[in-house]
Amino acid sequence: MASRAGGLRINNVSLPPNKPIHVALQYIYGVGAFESTKIIAAAGVHPRMKVEKLTDTSFAFIRAAVEKKFEVKNIQVKKIASNILQKVQMGSWEGYRHRLCLPVRGQNSKTNGRTQKKLGKLRAAAMGVPIISKKPGWINQPTLTVISQTKAAPSAPAPASPK
């Protein structure tokens, strides 16, 4: 247990020293509860051990395992953005839903999907995805309105002319 002046950092993320290691590893983008327990089991460290109590060798093993398996957050976000842009350019259904800023994975969009409708435009602008404001085919098409003609009441017969 050597003192670390800069704290413990993995993939440009500072791990909180007072948290258990299985919780602290989840601060890294892409590492969840399952992955953190797998990494800790491979390192042979007790999951409830605090980060500040880790030895240098166990921390080095954990750092190597995380850096080998997981990428830095910025690289992952760029990969996700390029995958979405590829779907949009390919013309797939998911890409079409991304362009409309609607839920992609089959969710209801009439009553639900408010979050995607609001935040989808912000995400699309950040990733450079072109946005369609309305469904294609509906733009600039005149709507036909049929005005029902009311039938006039039958007129009274003309008065007979006197002879």
Side-chain angles (χ1 to χ4, degrees), residues 2 4 8-11 15 21 25 39 42-45 51 53-68:
R4 296 170 189 98
L8 300 175
R9 293 182 65 83
I10 299 175
N11 277 357
L15 299 181
I21 187 66
L25 282 178
I39 292 168
V45 178
V51 173
K53 304 275 185 185
L54 284 174
T55 62
D56 287 337
T57 56
S58 61
F59 181 72
F61 183 83
I62 291 172
R63 172 184 274 162
V66 170
E67 288 177 351
K68 177 182 170 187

Side-chain angles (χ1 to χ4, degrees), residues 85 88-89 95-96 98-101 124-125 127-133:
L85 192 59
V88 169
Q89 291 170 348
Y96 178 71
H98 276 293
R99 287 183 71 185
L100 290 176
C101 297
M127 290 189 279
V129 176
I131 300 172
I132 299 175
S133 61

Side-chain angles (χ1 to χ4, degrees), residues 128-146:
V129 176
I131 300 172
I132 299 175
S133 61
K134 293 182 180 179
K135 294 180 183 175
W138 289 45
I139 301 171
N140 297 329
Q141 287 187 353
T143 56
L144 299 175
T145 55
V146 179

Side-chain angles (χ1 to χ4, degrees), residues 96-116:
Y96 178 71
R97 299 290 286 183
H98 276 293
R99 287 183 71 185
L100 290 176
C101 297
L102 292 173
V104 175
R105 298 181 181 167
Q107 298 93 331
N108 239 358
S109 59
K110 181 178 181 182
T111 56
N112 300 334
R114 303 256 187 259
T115 304
Q116 177 63 19

Side-chain angles (χ1 to χ4, degrees), residues 4-106:
R4 296 170 189 98
L8 300 175
R9 293 182 65 83
I10 299 175
N11 277 357
N12 295 329
V13 176
S14 295
L15 299 181
N18 57 348
K19 297 271 186 189
I21 187 66
H22 73 94
V23 174
L25 282 178
Q26 294 178 30
Y27 281 55
I28 300 169
Y29 186 81
V31 180
F34 182 73
E35 290 292 334
S36 69
T37 53
K38 278 187 4 184
I39 292 168
I40 292 166
V45 178
H46 192 275
R48 303 234 180 214
M49 181 179 277
K50 302 275 184 174
V51 173
E52 60 192 9
K53 304 275 185 185
L54 284 174
T55 62
D56 287 337
T57 56
S58 61
F59 181 72
F61 183 83
I62 291 172
R63 172 184 274 162
V66 170
E67 288 177 351
K68 177 182 170 187
K69 186 162 183 170
F70 299 99
E71 297 172 334
V72 181
K73 178 182 176 182
N74 296 339
I75 295 172
Q76 286 182 340
V77 170
K78 285 179 185 178
K79 270 189 180 179
I80 292 169
S82 68
N83 290 343
I84 290 173
L85 192 59
Q86 182 182 7
K87 287 179 182 179
V88 169
Q89 291 170 348
M90 189 181 355
S92 70
W93 179 253
E94 286 185 35
Y96 178 71
R97 299 290 286 183
H98 276 293
R99 287 183 71 185
L100 290 176
C101 297
L102 292 173
V104 175
R105 298 181 181 167

